[in-house]
């Protein structure tokens, strides 16, 4: 009896130190996937909408994690890439009646282009200057969206049509929930692969010491640009599906505050490691929703909670190995 | 400490699931649930509070007279926070409840726009009491009615007013958001159609206090009138700076700027400023009792959209009664057919677009720190 | 108005705006200098300073009136109070985070900013508060150029504060210590300088300057609002970086430059005022492309 208890105790301790064995890891992933698949039958439409929103932010946070967490580039204007994806889809489907699935490659291409344009000037800059340049670009993109007629000016674009795929019309909250589930899983897989790849290691070295990395033969320009481009692609795909989900987009959703929220999600959970980033996104989105019933003070309560988390868990709640 | 994160994470996730799980607890009593979609957080919160208060007064009065279909009205406030995504979240929460019979409200047009689809899909009647951007009209799935005159009427009113004042050159200043920009564009179009000149069309950022550069530009363009299409907080500063710099022409502000706060902030500079206003309670002959009740209960003046929101609640209740049931299609049909009733803000009749058939805008002037009516 | 007068008028407008930006940017740059933190809460210190100044003025207006004398009294008291408040924030929120990853302290600053904003939101209900003053609107007329006395006083006060700061930094022991801490903290500890005290002094001065800007701007423009710090924060950050973050003359220059850019950016022929901020940011980005450490920033030499 005593040995059984001790064994159980050991197991609990081992498990709470984080799933170590491949079996436990796979079991954990399977449980999560099962929950995600069954969620729409357990929750009603409000819950599905919120979860879909959370999934979107997980994708965005994973993308920003590549720029900030992997490559160490403090990007304060990430919402710009989000906007590029959303507006590309909106403009092409509304003004040129292009089928949604054909607009996706264009959105990805535009985002990659934006990544190069925005990343380019920052290559020589130290992190704080990089921050302000990315902030500046973020604002420039938002203001262009607000001022140009092709983006609908301040009202934005409305009446964006929901896409069809193989005869299935994706238009209910549940449909979009499943689409975002698939996207999130893809994002997680890509992020994980990237972290373990040669590029991921190159980012690690550049993040720690650019000059040493250069001395080791890593071309920091290429590596940094790749981080921006890949991060931008994540955001633009998120933006594309965001546009068709909401059916209407406006410059309000692409402000500096939005970039800050995504950054908070990355850092709060513990940047660098994927589970941490996912947790951060969930907190940032679900937190204010959970507190909705408190009424007007909910944002204050949320902010105090945020501050408390940072003070007690400075590395983020679930930090990756540095 | 490592165990700490797993504890926290577990608790957080449990709380999340619990919050998102279907509410198995319906209202135990037999009330009729009406949603009120207004901003409760963020910079438009003040408007949202006054609209929610007005709705509460209406609900209270209706319940005192026996309620609707013999049942009491219960209000549920959804915080749209003047942000499209937040509004969709709030609307989804309302729409997910099977006992919501109707929704009233809607202040920021940009936030109200995507919620039309949410209510449309859930087949919930929506009485929009403040949002009036013309972009809402094509996006209406058919279950929403707008009881505040739209931007077209707004622009037409100011153009007519300025024509009467013999103005020929106009400077338009907006704040770069959906409503004010749309109104600015509509006015510019109408103004030019009359053969007049728009000598300046400027955009300022919300909350930036220094408009001196714009003021200098406007002064050098010498317009007969300046038309401010945005809200009172920044409008007050613009008026102050315009007058300080020596601009002596006509200044007109739109319905978003109609508030006593304008005089607080602008001080004496706001004397003689004109406004195109939604029907504000203090100037409506039938609303004297409502104003008294509001002031007694909430110790402050009702905002400019309070009367409209009061009417919105009354209209919803009337429509439910006329429909004889909580069936959404019957209620929507009743709403669309309203004609001949007495409302605080005047007659309500809808066009086939479900917008107000007449313009309910009035012209007001700032005198002695208050708005006084200058007639139609 | 003739063109030269328009240009002169915009110059004046830009100077007034730039003075406020410069004061706010100074705190930003000083705090960055000593602890390498981009203090996102700095704009909200400006906002709190405005509110505190307003409350003090309301309290003492019967004694000192509501003209510039009253405003200055309120401003000094606000500077003291908010300076201490800034030190308090540093002790409570930033000091424990100094050994944490850099990005974490950034988010902490963001969290502090959110707390301040939402606290004031809860207290004021989101309403703008009218900052009532007794300022006349007379001024000097030179042709069609009109400069009000208020503008002159505002710019002069800001300049006075900035000169006082320069004197402090260049000629006093604390000032020298601040500059030393900004260069190498650990060395300073070895030399016997109490680094924690110096950081506290830096926060005090930075917050006091922001409070001065907030009170003056509140009084000059006539209203204060819980969200005004957010916008000023971005501008102050931009200004500090254009000038070279960590450099005090840089922040002053950056602030003035930004003010002028915004004033003239409103009036570019052919481009409407809705592009003003695009113009400002574009200039900023160009400056940084050619001078990656800002106009007056020192190029960093990394010792291997």
């Amino acid at each position: 009896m005593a040995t059984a208890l001790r064994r159980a105790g050991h197991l609990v301790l081992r498990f709470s130190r984080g799933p170590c064995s491949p079996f436990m890891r796979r079991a954990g992933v399977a449980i999560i996937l099962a929950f995600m698949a069954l969620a729409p039958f357990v929750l009603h439409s409000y819950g599905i909408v919120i979860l879909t929103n959370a999934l979107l932010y997980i994708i965005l946070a994973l993308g920003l994690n590549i720029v900030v967490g992997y490559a160490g580039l403090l990007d304060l204007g990430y919402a710009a890439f989000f906007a590029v994806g959303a507006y590309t889809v909106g403009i092409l489907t509304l003004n040129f009646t292009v089928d949604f699935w054909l607009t996706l490659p264009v959105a990805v291409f535009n985002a990659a282009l934006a990544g190069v344009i925005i990343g380019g000037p920052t290559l020589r800059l130290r992190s704080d200057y990089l921050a302000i340049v990315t902030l500046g670009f973020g604002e420039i993109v938002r203001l262009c969206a607000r001022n140009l007629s092709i983006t609908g000016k301040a009202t934005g674009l409305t009446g964006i049509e929901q896409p069809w795929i193989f005869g299935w019309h994706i238009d209910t909250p549940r449909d979009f929930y499943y689409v975002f589930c698939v996207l999130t899983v893809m994002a997680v897989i890509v992020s994980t692969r990237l972290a373990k790849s040669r590029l991921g290691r190159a980012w690690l070295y550049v993040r720690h010491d650019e000059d040493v990395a250069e001395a080791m033969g890593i071309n920091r320009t290429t590596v940094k640009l790749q981080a921006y481009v890949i991060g931008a692609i994540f955001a633009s795909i998120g933006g594309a599906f965001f546009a068709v989900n909401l059916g209407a987009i406006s410059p309000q959703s692409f402000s500096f505050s939005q970039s800050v929220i995504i950054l908070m999600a990355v850092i709060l959970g513990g940047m660098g490691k994927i589970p941490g980033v996912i947790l951060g996104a969930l907190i940032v989105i679900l937190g204010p929703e959970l507190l909705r019933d408190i009424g007007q003070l909910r944002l204050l309560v949320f902010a105090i909670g945020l501050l408390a988390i940072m003070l007690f868990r400075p590395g983020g709640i679930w930090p990756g190995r540095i | 400490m490592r165990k700490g994160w797993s504890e926290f994470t577990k608790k957080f996730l449990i709380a999340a699931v619990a919050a998102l799980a279907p509410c198995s607890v319906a209202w135990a009593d037999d009330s009729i649930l009406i949603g009120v979609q207004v901003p409760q957080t963020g910079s438009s919160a003040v408007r949202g509070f006054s609209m929610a208060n007005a709705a509460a007064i209406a609900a209270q009065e209706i319940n005192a007279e026996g309620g609707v279909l013999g049942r009491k009205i219960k209000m549920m406030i959804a915080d749209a926070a003047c942000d499209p995504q937040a509004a969709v979240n709030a609307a989804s929460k309302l729409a997910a409840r099977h006992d919501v019979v109707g929704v009233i409200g809607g202040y920021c047009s940009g936030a109200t726009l995507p919620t039309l689809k949410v209510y449309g899909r859930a087949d919930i009647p929506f009485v929009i009491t403040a949002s009036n951007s013309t972009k809402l009209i094509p996006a209406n799935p058919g279950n929403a009615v707008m009881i505040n005159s739209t931007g077209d009427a707004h622009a037409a009113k100011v153009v007519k007013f300025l024509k009467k004042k013999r103005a020929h050159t106009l400077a338009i200043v907006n704040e770069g958001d959906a409503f004010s920009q749309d109104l600015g564009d509509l006015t510019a179009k109408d103004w030019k159609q009359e053969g007049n000149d728009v000598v300046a069309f400027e955009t300022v950022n919300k909350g930036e206090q220094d408009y001196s550069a714009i003021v200098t530009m406007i002064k050098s363009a010498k317009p007969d009138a300046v038309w401010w299409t945005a809200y009172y907080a920044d409008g007050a500063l613009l008026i102050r700076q315009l007058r300080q710099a020596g601009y002596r022409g006509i200044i007109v502000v739109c319905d978003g700027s109609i508030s006593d706060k304008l005089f607080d902030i602008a001080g004496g500079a706001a004397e003689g400023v004109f406004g195109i206003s939604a029907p504000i309670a203090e100037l409506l002959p039938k609303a004297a009792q409502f104003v008294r009740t509001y002031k007694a209960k909430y110790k402050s003046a009702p905002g400019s959209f309070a009367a409209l929101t009061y009417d919105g609640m009354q209209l919803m209740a009337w429509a439910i009664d006329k429909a004889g049931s909580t069936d959404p299609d019957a209620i929507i049909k009743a709403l669309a057919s309203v004609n001949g009733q007495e409302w605080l803000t005047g007659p309500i009749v809808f066009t086939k677009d479900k917008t107000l058939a007449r313009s309910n805008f009035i012209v007001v002037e700032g005198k002695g720190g208050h708005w006084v009516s200058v007639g139609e | 108005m003739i063109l030269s007068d328009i240009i002169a008028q915009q110059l004046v407008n830009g100077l007034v705006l730039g003075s406020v930006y410069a004061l706010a940017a100074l705190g930003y740059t000083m705090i960055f200098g000593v602890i390498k933190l981009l203090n996102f809460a700095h704009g909200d210190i400006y906002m709190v300073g405005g509110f505190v100044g307003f409350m003090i003025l309301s309290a003492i207006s019967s004694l000192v009136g509501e003209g510039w004398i009253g405003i200055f009294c309120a401003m000094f008291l606000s500077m003291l109070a908010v300076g201490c408040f800034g030190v308090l924030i540093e002790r409570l929120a930033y000091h424990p985070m100094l050994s944490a990853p850099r990005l974490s302290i950034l988010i902490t600053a963001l969290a502090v900013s959110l707390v301040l904003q939402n606290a004031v939101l809860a207290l004021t209900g989101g309403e703008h508060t009218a900052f009532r003053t007794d300022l006349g609107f007379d001024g000097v007329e030179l042709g069609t150029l009109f400069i009000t006395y208020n503008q002159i006083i505002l710019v002069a006060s800001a300049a006075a504060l900035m000169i006082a700061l320069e004197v402090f930094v260049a000629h006093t022991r604390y000032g020298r210590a601040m500059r030393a801490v900004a260069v190498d903290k650990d060395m300073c500890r070895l030399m016997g300088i109490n680094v924690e005290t110096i950081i506290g002094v830096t926060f005090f001065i930075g917050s006091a300057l922001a409070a001065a800007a907030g009170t003056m701007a509140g009084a000059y423009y006539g209203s204060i609002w819980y969200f005004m710090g957010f916008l000023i924060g971005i501008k102050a950050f931009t200004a500090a970086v254009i000038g070279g973050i960590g450099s005090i003359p840089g922040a002053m220059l950056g602030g003035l430059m930004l003010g002028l850019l915004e004033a003239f950016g409103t009036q570019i022929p052919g481009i409407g005022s809705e592009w003003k901020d695009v113009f400002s940011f574009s200039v900023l980005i160009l400056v940084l492309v050619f001078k990656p450490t800002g106009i007056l920033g020192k190029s960093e030499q990394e010792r291997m």
Side-chain angles (χ1 to χ4, degrees):
Chain A
M1 182 63 178
T3 36
L5 271 175
R6 216 169 343 124
R7 283 247 183 81
H10 277 213
L11 262 176
V12 169
L13 270 175
R14 267 199 73 207
F15 191 77
S16 54
R17 250 183 235 125
C20 320
S21 80
F23 167 72
M24 270 200 257
R25 187 164 292 179
R26 285 203 201 114
V29 170
I31 293 175
I32 294 175
L33 285 177
F35 172 73
M36 280 169 73
L38 294 175
F41 302 101
V42 175
L43 310 168
H44 56 47
S45 61
Y46 162 65
I48 299 176
V49 167
I50 301 301
L51 264 189
T52 311
N53 203 19
L55 289 173
L56 168 69
Y57 276 87
I58 291 177
I59 298 171
L60 294 174
L62 285 172
L64 184 60
N65 185 40
I66 292 175
V67 182
V68 174
Y70 292 174
L73 305 163
L74 180 56
D75 187 343
L76 289 182
Y78 191 64
F81 304 128
F82 184 41
V84 164
Y87 274 103
T88 305
V89 166
I91 293 173
L92 287 177
T93 54
L94 283 175
N95 297 359
F96 302 104
T97 53
V98 178
D99 180 57
F100 171 73
W101 301 104
L102 291 176
T103 66
L104 267 185
V106 184
V108 167
F109 174 75
N110 283 348
L113 195 62
V116 172
I117 295 176
I118 291 179
T122 69
L123 294 172
R124 281 205 299 161
L125 300 176
R126 234 184 53 203
S127 69
D128 321 294
Y129 298 94
L130 190 155
I132 190 80
V133 167
T134 50
L135 191 161
F137 272 118
E139 283 294 280
I140 289 177
V141 167
R142 176 184 71 88
L143 289 166
C144 288
R146 184 194 76 174
N147 295 337
L148 298 170
S149 337
I150 194 170
T151 53
K153 295 179 89 174
T155 315
L157 301 171
T158 57
I160 302 175
E161 285 214 358
Q162 271 89 30
W164 294 79
I165 183 172
F166 304 130
W168 171 44
H169 192 199
I170 309 174
D171 65 343
T172 67
R174 183 184 295 190
D175 297 335
F176 274 107
Y177 170 75
Y178 281 124
V179 168
F180 272 96
C181 277
V182 170
L183 290 174
T184 308
V185 168
M186 281 166 51
V188 171
I189 294 177
V190 172
S191 291
T192 320
R193 283 283 166 84
L194 276 173
K196 296 196 194 129
S197 70
R198 275 192 63 195
L199 183 57
R201 265 201 302 282
W203 283 330
L204 181 66
Y205 300 145
V206 166
R207 187 171 92 230
H208 274 282
D209 195 326
E210 277 184 34
D211 301 302
V212 172
E214 189 99 2
M216 280 172 46
I218 297 175
N219 184 335
R220 62 176 146 187
T221 309
T222 321
V223 156
K224 284 187 191 177
L225 278 178
Q226 280 174 308
Y228 276 116
V229 166
I230 297 177
I233 292 176
F234 270 68
S236 75
I237 294 180
F241 284 93
F242 169 76
V244 292
N245 184 6
L246 220 55
I249 51 176
S250 70
Q252 267 177 290
S253 306
F254 308 111
S255 61
F256 172 59
S257 306
Q258 183 76 282
S259 298
V260 164
I261 292 177
I262 305 172
L263 184 68
M264 268 204 289
V266 171
I267 298 179
L268 187 64
M271 46 186 176
K273 196 165 171 190
I274 292 169
V277 169
I278 295 178
L279 182 64
L282 286 174
I283 293 178
V284 163
I285 294 306
L286 298 180
E289 286 301 315
L290 290 179
L291 298 170
R292 200 172 259 279
D293 297 318
I294 298 186
Q296 303 137 31
L297 289 180
R298 69 183 166 127
L299 288 177
L300 180 60
V301 171
F302 179 66
I304 295 177
L306 217 61
L307 188 59
I309 292 178
M310 291 317 294
L311 287 176
F312 289 114
R313 303 282 305 166
I317 298 179
W318 200 334
R321 275 161 260 110
I322 308 294
Chain B
M1 209 34 178
R2 289 301 286 283
K3 276 187 235 167
W5 66 252
S6 60
E7 281 308 307
F8 173 86
T9 314
K10 276 182 225 150
K11 286 202 198 104
F12 175 76
L13 290 173
I14 291 174
V17 173
L20 299 180
C23 272
S24 49
V25 180
W27 292 109
D29 52 48
D30 197 27
S31 11
I32 294 222
L33 196 59
I34 307 280
V36 178
Q37 179 179 301
V38 288
Q40 297 267 292
T41 51
S43 44
S44 308
V46 178
R47 295 285 196 196
F49 297 147
S50 87
M51 286 167 72
N53 294 342
I57 293 181
Q60 212 176 33
E61 288 177 10
I62 296 169
N63 286 345
E65 289 172 11
V68 173
L69 299 177
R71 295 147 69 177
K72 298 248 184 270
I73 290 184
K74 231 182 182 110
M75 265 175 39
M76 183 164 209
I77 301 187
D79 177 12
C82 203
D83 171 70
Q85 185 65 59
V88 165
N89 292 351
S92 304
K93 192 163 188 181
L94 275 183
R97 302 183 61 104
H98 299 297
D99 48 358
V100 167
V101 175
V103 177
I104 68 170
Y107 174 68
C108 289
S109 298
T112 308
L113 188 56
T115 63
L116 289 173
K117 201 173 73 160
V118 176
Y119 296 129
R121 180 180 299 129
D123 209 15
I124 296 181
F126 186 16
V127 176
I128 304 179
T129 62
S131 295
N132 59 357
S133 163
T134 52
K135 311 282 188 196
L136 291 169
I137 304 174
N140 184 352
N143 62 317
V145 293
M146 298 167 68
I147 64 172
N148 191 13
S149 290
T150 58
D152 305 312
H154 213 151
K157 192 87 186 180
V158 71
V159 168
K160 196 168 114 186
F161 170 71
L162 286 174
K163 219 167 97 170
K164 243 194 333 195
K165 289 271 174 193
R166 290 187 234 282
H168 294 290
T169 51
L170 182 63
I172 302 179
V173 188
N174 76 84
E175 217 169 63
D177 71 312
F179 166 73
S180 66
Q181 197 188 65
D182 187 40
L183 182 57
D185 287 335
L186 290 169
T187 313
K189 200 175 73 168
D190 284 353
W191 188 250
K192 289 192 213 154
Q193 254 173 3
E194 295 278 328
N196 299 311
D197 258 323
V198 175
V199 295
F201 192 103
E202 307 303 330
T203 308
V204 298
N205 290 329
K206 184 183 177 109
E208 258 182 16
Q209 301 174 295
D210 193 302
Y211 301 125
S212 52
I214 299 273
V215 164
T216 303
M217 274 185 74
I218 292 178
K219 237 185 96 180
S220 65
K222 292 213 237 302
D224 295 326
V226 176
W227 168 229
W228 166 253
T229 66
Y231 316 99
Y232 61 85
D234 298 318
L237 295 178
L238 180 68
I239 293 172
R240 217 173 108 122
Q241 291 172 29
L242 273 172
R243 293 293 188 223
Q244 269 178 44
Y247 177 71
R248 299 271 165 263
I250 304 172
I251 301 180
V252 196
V253 300
C254 76
D255 67 352
S257 291
I258 304 298
S259 160
D260 279 346
K261 267 313 234 182
L262 187 85
F263 302 105
D264 260 351
I265 301 175
E271 281 292 304
V273 163
F274 292 100
I276 308 293
S277 168
I280 49 179
E282 287 92 327
L283 297 179
L284 293 167
K286 290 198 212 96
Q289 177 58 42
F290 168 69
V291 175
R292 272 197 297 272
T293 316
Y294 191 104
K295 283 198 175 138
K297 190 162 176 200
Y298 299 109
K299 311 280 185 289
S300 61
S304 26
F305 299 100
L308 279 166
T309 311
Y310 176 92
D311 272 350
M313 180 64 91
Q314 292 280 8
L315 177 63
M316 181 66 84
W318 173 87
I320 299 174
D321 260 334
K322 173 127 184 266
S325 74
T326 57
D327 171 49
D329 294 316
I331 299 175
I332 294 170
K333 211 163 120 199
L335 280 173
S337 70
V338 63
N339 193 342
Q341 277 68 33
E342 290 280 303
W343 310 98
L344 230 51
T345 56
I348 294 183
V349 180
F350 294 115
T351 63
K352 60 174 171 49
D353 283 331
K354 303 220 168 60
T355 61
L356 213 55
R358 64 166 185 101
S359 162
N360 64 1
F361 288 110
I362 56 178
V363 180
V364 293
E365 188 181 348
K367 274 204 162 74
H370 293 290
W371 294 107
V372 297
S373 180
V374 174
E376 302 287 311
Chain C
M1 278 175 87
I2 50 182
L3 184 64
S4 59
D5 276 350
I6 296 180
I7 293 179
Q9 188 75 64
Q10 295 291 28
L11 205 69
V12 172
N13 295 336
L15 272 177
V16 172
L17 195 55
S19 306
V20 175
Y21 289 163
L23 280 178
L26 279 169
Y28 229 106
T29 221
M30 284 167 60
I31 290 175
F32 183 85
V34 286
I35 59 173
K36 302 285 178 287
L37 162 71
L38 292 171
N39 186 8
F40 278 120
H42 193 70
D44 300 287
I45 299 284
Y46 163 93
M47 179 266 298
V48 169
F51 273 96
V52 169
F54 166 70
M55 291 193 294
I56 293 179
L57 184 61
S58 314
I60 65 174
S61 61
S62 40
L63 290 170
V64 292
E66 283 181 348
W68 276 110
I69 300 185
I71 295 173
F72 281 132
C73 292
M75 187 182 90
F76 281 121
L77 291 171
S78 170
M79 283 169 74
L80 283 174
V82 176
C84 296
F85 184 57
V87 177
L88 187 70
I89 293 182
E90 190 268 326
R91 290 287 115 166
L92 290 178
Y94 301 148
H95 187 76
M97 300 289 291
L98 285 178
S99 45
R102 262 202 71 203
L103 285 174
S104 301
I105 192 172
L106 201 69
I107 297 296
T108 311
L110 264 168
V112 170
S113 162
L114 282 175
V115 169
L116 289 175
Q117 268 179 40
N118 284 302
V120 176
L121 169 62
L123 290 171
T124 61
E127 280 270 24
H128 282 243
T129 307
F131 200 126
R132 236 165 303 226
T133 53
D134 206 10
L135 302 174
F137 298 128
D138 307 316
V140 185
E141 267 198 51
L142 306 161
T144 43
L145 175 66
F146 183 55
I147 308 178
T148 63
Y149 293 132
N150 297 334
Q151 286 174 319
I152 299 176
I153 295 177
L154 189 127
V155 175
S157 323
L161 282 169
M162 289 194 259
I163 293 175
L165 178 70
E166 259 302 307
V167 166
F168 178 83
V169 166
H171 297 292
T172 65
R173 265 177 51 221
Y174 276 114
R176 269 201 295 278
M178 269 170 56
R179 280 183 284 147
V181 168
V183 172
D184 191 336
K185 245 200 299 239
D186 298 311
M187 195 58 167
C188 285
R189 265 186 258 260
L190 289 174
M191 303 283 281
I193 296 178
N194 187 335
V195 172
E196 272 66 42
T197 311
I198 298 300
I199 294 179
V201 169
T202 311
F203 265 85
F204 180 84
I205 298 179
S207 308
L209 287 172
T215 309
M216 276 203 286
Y220 176 73
Y221 294 118
S223 82
I224 48 180
W225 184 41
Y226 80 96
F227 203 64
M228 67 189 208
F230 182 78
L231 302 163
I232 289 289
I234 301 183
K235 305 283 165 96
F237 180 32
T238 310
V241 171
I242 298 186
I245 197 149
S247 153
I248 289 179
M252 297 184 201
L253 181 65
L256 289 172
M257 250 193 80
L258 189 62
L260 289 168
L261 272 178
E262 286 199 2
F264 283 105
T266 316
Q267 205 160 0
I268 309 170
I271 300 181
S273 50
E274 65 263 27
W275 297 101
K276 166 190 80 157
D277 290 320
V278 173
F279 174 67
S280 306
F281 278 118
S282 304
V283 171
L284 161 77
I285 293 171
L286 273 170
V287 165
L288 286 177
V289 163
F290 289 110
K291 268 227 103 206
T293 49
I295 299 181
L296 296 182
K298 305 165 208 54
S299 330
E300 284 231 332
Q301 282 177 336
E302 272 180 58
R303 279 173 224 101
M304 291 295 169

